[in-house]
Amino acid sequence: VTPLRSGKPVICRVVRNANTATYAKPKEFWKFKLDGTTADVFGGQVTNAATTVGELGALVDEFLPTNGAPPGSLFLVVIEGPAKAITATTGDVTIGIGNAVVAGAAGGVIDQDTNATAGTNSTLQSRGVIGLALEATNTTATSFLVLTRRMDGA
């Protein structure tokens, strides 16, 4: 049996941890810095673990040390291709193979709410899709494989 990631390309980006106190942990979904002052910041810096559906960001490199990337350091995030994500500690973590995943609590991901009503919530649910699950899961704080899609504006 060929592993799910065998021979599949992965696009990564070097980013800076712009948070002054928090370490970026492997497999967490971190949001891109949006400071509103310079366009060159977007996609090159991350500020913290995403906590809201619709936030734009990327999965932190799963091969970082357990402690993660310290504040101010450079590290890789996965922009496109197969990568490990971690399920959120709250929210709908019953995720089937092929289901879309979005940002959840504390850098974790949750199942996309396909029943979201029209309006802001519906827009955020579609805009915030990180990728498609390549493995099924139904447990909080568990890592699983996701086929990420590009959300960095490139």
Side-chain angles (χ1 to χ4, degrees), residues 92-154:
D92 184 2
V93 297
T94 301
I95 303 168
I97 294 173
N99 285 21
V101 296
V102 295
V109 301
I110 57 175
D111 194 45
Q112 180 189 36
D113 180 2
T114 56
N115 295 318
T117 58
T120 303
N121 192 33
S122 178
T123 300
L124 293 177
Q125 285 286 340
S126 60
R127 176 183 111 164
V129 172
I130 297 163
L132 303 176
L134 292 175
E135 296 175 323
T137 184
N138 62 2
T139 310
T140 61
T142 300
S143 66
F144 70 109
L145 198 57
V146 174
L147 181 60
T148 61
R149 69 174 202 160
R150 212 174 184 98
M151 25 182 344
D152 64 344

Side-chain angles (χ1 to χ4, degrees), residues 47-113:
T47 54
N48 55 8
T51 57
T52 307
V53 171
E55 291 181 314
L56 300 178
L59 290 170
V60 176
D61 178 14
E62 68 192 80
F63 297 107
L64 279 178
T66 306
N67 289 343
S73 69
L74 298 172
F75 64 96
L76 293 174
V77 293
V78 178
I79 299 298
E80 188 173 308
K84 286 282 188 174
I86 192 159
T87 53
T89 53
T90 62
D92 184 2
V93 297
T94 301
I95 303 168
I97 294 173
N99 285 21
V101 296
V102 295
V109 301
I110 57 175
D111 194 45
Q112 180 189 36
D113 180 2

